[in-house]
């Protein structure tokens, strides 16, 4: 910890932290992280492309999935660059403005993802509770308004954070707990009074992750109540099966955050490498797993993937046959190409 005797406001340098005790092996540690990053970006990009180009996927459930993929890509773009700089180049320094900007985007995209998960829970509730009015309730304009509201909420809740940080005093050099900048980490390093910052951060979390998780649980309680009112066991199973994918990604999103919170309060100092690993996984796992879960569980996504690959194979086969046919026709004596070759010889 550096001294506060030479503290400044807005001109500090922050040092990122990798895996304590494994600094010499950062290149090897970064290999699985790099693979997760690449799969996350490719998987979410392909989900977006598939939903955009396949008219059969222009339904509320898949439009919300496209929003989720877009927020995952935003989270990847916010966290991966500093991870790669640290693990591959050993670059730990991050100026205050860049750190504050990264903090804003990380929290904003996290809140967007949480809001989209809530919207998807509402989508499943409407599909099970009001199947006949599903298309009239979740229209394209309604989903556009929901998406805009989620984005505006994320921006408004996170905008005060970087602004209030500028009034705090920090040491000239401060060591962060992770390989990216988080609000709680920066507030904990400040040399001046942070009560307002802590209060704003708490209110921001309660109005986003806290409220969303409560409403998601309420949605599933109502879904379960509706399903239990269905007479046929087969129809009950079918209704619940439509919620499995969403429930999986909700658990993937919230459980690592819960585990990290518990670890920070219990054994953070006893196992610093484990704390850093959990902190990285709670941002790496959701963008990595979300496309995999939906590719496995969604029949429409699987059919879209198969259709896309089959179309690609047909295009490659057609081009190959066309090239072979062209070579054959050029080599025949009666063809124009063959005549030209004879004249030249």
């Amino acid at each position: 910890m550096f001294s506060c005797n030479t503290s400044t406001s807005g001109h500090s340098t922050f040092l990122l932290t990798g895996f304590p005790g494994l600094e010499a092996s950062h290149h090897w540690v970064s290999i699985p992280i790099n693979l997760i990053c690449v799969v996350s970006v490719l998987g979410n990009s392909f989900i977006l492309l598939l939903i955009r180009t396949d008219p059969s996927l222009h339904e509320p459930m898949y439009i919300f999935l496209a929003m989720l993929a877009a927020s995952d890509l935003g989270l990847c773009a916010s966290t991966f660059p500093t991870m790669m700089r640290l693990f591959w180049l050993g670059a730990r320094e991050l100026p205050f403005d860049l750190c504050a900007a990264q903090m804003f985007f990380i929290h904003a995209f996290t809140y967007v993802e949480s809001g989209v998960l809530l919207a998807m829970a509402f989508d499943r509730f409407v599909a099970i509770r009001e199947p006949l009015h599903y298309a009239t309730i979740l229209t394209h304009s309604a989903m556009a308004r929901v998406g805009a509201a989620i984005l505006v909420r994320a921006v408004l809740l996170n905008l005060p954070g970087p602004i209030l940080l500028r009034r705090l005093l920090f040491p000239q050099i401060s060591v962060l707990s992770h390989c990216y900048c988080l609000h709680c980490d920066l507030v904990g390093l400040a040399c001046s009074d942070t009560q307002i910052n802590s209060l704003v951060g708490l209110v921001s979390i309660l109005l986003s992750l806290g409220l969303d998780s409560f409403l998601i649980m309420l949605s599933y309680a109502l879904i379960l109540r509706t399903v239990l009112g269905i007479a046929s066991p087969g129809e009950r199973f079918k209704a619940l099966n439509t919620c499995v994918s969403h429930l999986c990604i909700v658990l993937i999103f919230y459980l690592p955050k819960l585990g990290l919170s518990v670890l920070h309060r219990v054994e953070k100092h006893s196992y610093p490498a484990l704390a850093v690993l959990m902190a990285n996984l709670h941002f790496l796992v959701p963008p990595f797993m979300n496309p995999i879960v939906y590719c496995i569980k969604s029949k429409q996504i699987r059919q879209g993937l198969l259709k896309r690959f089959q179309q690609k194979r047909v295009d490659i086969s057609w081009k190959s046959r066309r090239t072979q046919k062209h070579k054959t026709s050029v080599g025949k004596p009666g063809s124009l190409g063959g005549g030209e070759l004879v004249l030249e010889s």
Side-chain angles (χ1 to χ4, degrees):
M1 184 71 180
F2 289 86
S3 173
C4 287
N5 294 333
T6 57
S7 57
T8 61
S9 176
H11 300 286
S12 301
T13 298
F14 296 95
L15 299 181
L16 303 172
T17 298
F19 291 93
L22 299 176
E23 287 81 4
S25 305
H26 270 177
H27 284 85
W28 295 106
V29 173
S30 68
I31 293 176
I33 293 178
N34 284 337
L35 291 176
I36 291 175
C37 294
V38 171
V39 173
S40 301
V41 172
L42 292 179
N44 286 288
S45 299
F46 195 79
I47 289 288
L48 274 176
L49 178 65
L50 188 63
I51 294 174
R52 183 177 181 274
T53 57
D54 192 339
S56 66
L57 297 177
H58 293 175
E59 298 177 3
M61 176 181 176
Y62 299 107
I63 292 175
F64 285 133
L65 177 59
M67 294 181 188
L68 186 69
S71 65
D72 281 337
L73 286 174
L75 195 58
C76 293
S78 303
T79 55
F80 291 172
T82 52
M83 287 185 183
M84 296 304 100
R85 286 180 69 246
L86 175 64
F87 291 134
W88 282 102
L89 304 177
R92 298 183 62 191
E93 298 83 6
L94 211 60
F96 176 85
D97 290 335
L98 191 58
C99 192
Q102 185 188 43
M103 179 203 76
F104 171 81
F105 284 111
I106 286 177
H107 289 298
F109 282 117
T110 301
Y111 291 0
V112 167
E113 185 161 352
S114 178
V116 173
L117 291 177
L118 174 59
M120 295 173 81
F122 178 73
D123 166 79
R124 291 298 85 208
F125 170 69
V126 173
I128 293 174
R129 182 70 179 269
E130 301 289 344
L132 298 179
H133 301 93
Y134 179 71
T136 57
I137 295 174
L138 290 173
T139 61
H140 284 194
S141 60
M143 287 185 292
R145 288 194 295 270
V146 169
I150 291 171
L151 187 60
V152 169
R153 184 191 70 162
V155 172
L156 292 179
L157 287 179
N158 283 286
L159 202 56
I163 296 174
L164 291 174
L165 280 176
R166 297 197 69 87
R167 71 179 185 86
L168 299 179
L169 296 176
F170 292 93
Q172 286 284 354
I173 299 177
S174 303
V175 180
L176 298 170
S177 302
H178 312 296
C179 51
Y180 41 77
C181 299
L182 296 179
H183 182 263
C184 59
D185 208 3
L186 293 176
V187 169
L189 293 171
C191 299
S192 47
D193 182 38
T194 60
Q195 287 186 357
I196 296 177
N197 299 74
S198 299
L199 180 62
V200 168
L202 178 62
V203 171
S204 175
I205 291 175
L206 290 177
L207 292 178
S208 55
L209 301 179
L211 180 62
D212 292 347
S213 59
F214 171 75
L215 292 177
I216 289 172
M217 288 189 292
L218 179 61
S219 298
Y220 271 100
L222 295 174
I223 287 172
L224 190 60
R225 179 183 174 185
T226 303
V227 169
L228 291 176
I230 300 174
S232 170
E235 290 298 320
R236 288 182 189 176
F237 177 78
K238 184 178 178 181
L240 288 175
N241 195 44
T242 62
C243 302
V244 172
S245 300
H246 177 256
L247 190 57
C248 287
I249 61 175
V250 167
L251 294 176
I252 289 170
F253 180 77
Y254 283 104
L255 284 183
K257 289 175 171 51
L258 180 62
L260 180 64
S261 177
V262 171
L263 189 64
H264 269 261
R265 284 160 177 76
V266 180
E267 292 292 343
K268 175 184 175 181
H269 300 292
S270 300
Y271 304 99
L274 181 60
V276 172
L277 177 63
M278 286 293 296
N280 289 329
L281 289 180
H282 106 284
F283 283 125
L284 291 171
V285 171
F288 173 73
M289 289 301 300
N290 290 346
I292 295 175
V293 168
Y294 268 93
C295 287
I296 292 173
K297 292 299 297 179
S298 175
K299 183 179 178 181
Q300 289 87 340
I301 294 289
R302 290 200 306 271
Q303 288 176 343
L305 287 171
L306 289 174
K307 189 189 303 181
R308 177 72 59 175
F309 284 124
Q310 287 173 353
Q311 182 181 357
K312 194 74 175 176
R313 287 179 61 185
V314 169
D315 291 342
I316 293 173
S317 178
W318 182 79
K319 289 179 181 179
S320 177
R321 287 199 301 267
R322 185 179 177 186
T323 303
Q324 188 65 31
K325 184 177 179 181
H326 177 71
K327 289 180 179 179
T328 305
S329 63
V330 168
K332 289 181 180 179
S335 66
L336 180 61
E340 289 175 351
L341 288 173
V342 172
L343 287 173
E344 288 175 1
S345 61

